[in-house]
């Protein structure tokens, strides 16, 4: 748990640095990290890029209403989403809308063009409602390592 906690904060720590912080020697630390990878607890290690420095000043949540699709059409939709780099996340959801997309965009004009040239061309898309964020109050990629207990 300590290794995962530290790695979620800073994946660039060397095995030696992790071992020192956890209080074990380097070899057992390396083996534990390998086991975490092998067992699927660690899916990958990435660099988190500042989207604003790259010109993506807007973050938008697009709620998509879908038509009824065949299994093949649904797979085509999800492959299309996967191939659009500005869509960072995609979720199927309960409720009035069917899909929730997290999209980055440089500005409103670009996003408007994106809706018509990309999103509306995906199979089954009937309606899109957009929520434009004003500011980011919290952003983390760290997952809690166990659920909190409530009394």
């Amino acid at each position: 748990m300590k290794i995962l906690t530290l790695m979620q904060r800073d994946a660039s720590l060397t095995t030696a640095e992790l071992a020192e912080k956890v209080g074990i020697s380097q070899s057992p630390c390396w083996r534990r990290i390998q086991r975490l990878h092998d067992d699927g607890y660690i899916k990958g290690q990435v660099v988190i890029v500042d989207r604003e420095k790259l010109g993506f000043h807007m973050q938008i949540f697009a709620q998509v209403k879908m038509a009824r699709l065949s299994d093949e059409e649904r797979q085509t939709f999800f492959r299309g989403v996967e191939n659009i780099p500005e869509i960072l996340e995609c979720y199927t959801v309960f409720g009035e809308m069917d899909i929730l997309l997290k999209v980055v965009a440089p500005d409103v004009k670009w996003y408007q063009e994106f809706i018509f040239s990309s999103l509306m061309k995906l199979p089954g898309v009937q309606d899109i409602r957009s929520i434009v964020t004003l500011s980011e109050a919290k952003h983390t990629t760290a997952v809690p390592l166990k659920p909190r207990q409530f009394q």
Side-chain angles (χ1 to χ4, degrees), residues 67 116 130 150:
F116 293 112
S130 301
F150 299 104

XYZ file of all heavy atoms in Angstrom, residues 67 116 130 150:
33
model
N -29.220 6.803 -30.219
C -30.290 5.992 -30.783
C -30.011 4.539 -30.414
O -28.901 4.197 -30.004
C -30.306 6.150 -32.304
N -20.005 19.265 -34.735
C -20.611 18.952 -36.034
C -19.713 18.088 -36.919
O -20.210 17.242 -37.658
C -21.017 20.234 -36.756
C -22.134 20.947 -36.050
C -21.919 22.164 -35.436
C -23.399 20.377 -35.966
C -22.949 22.813 -34.761
C -24.441 21.011 -35.297
C -24.214 22.237 -34.691
N -23.838 20.050 -23.616
C -22.464 20.310 -23.161
C -22.455 21.097 -21.864
O -23.217 22.043 -21.692
C -21.703 21.084 -24.235
O -21.668 20.346 -25.435
N -17.834 4.162 6.825
C -18.743 5.149 7.415
C -19.512 4.491 8.549
O -19.828 3.311 8.487
C -19.713 5.699 6.362
C -19.017 6.396 5.241
C -18.885 5.775 4.005
C -18.483 7.652 5.404
C -18.228 6.411 2.952
C -17.825 8.302 4.362
C -17.718 7.683 3.145
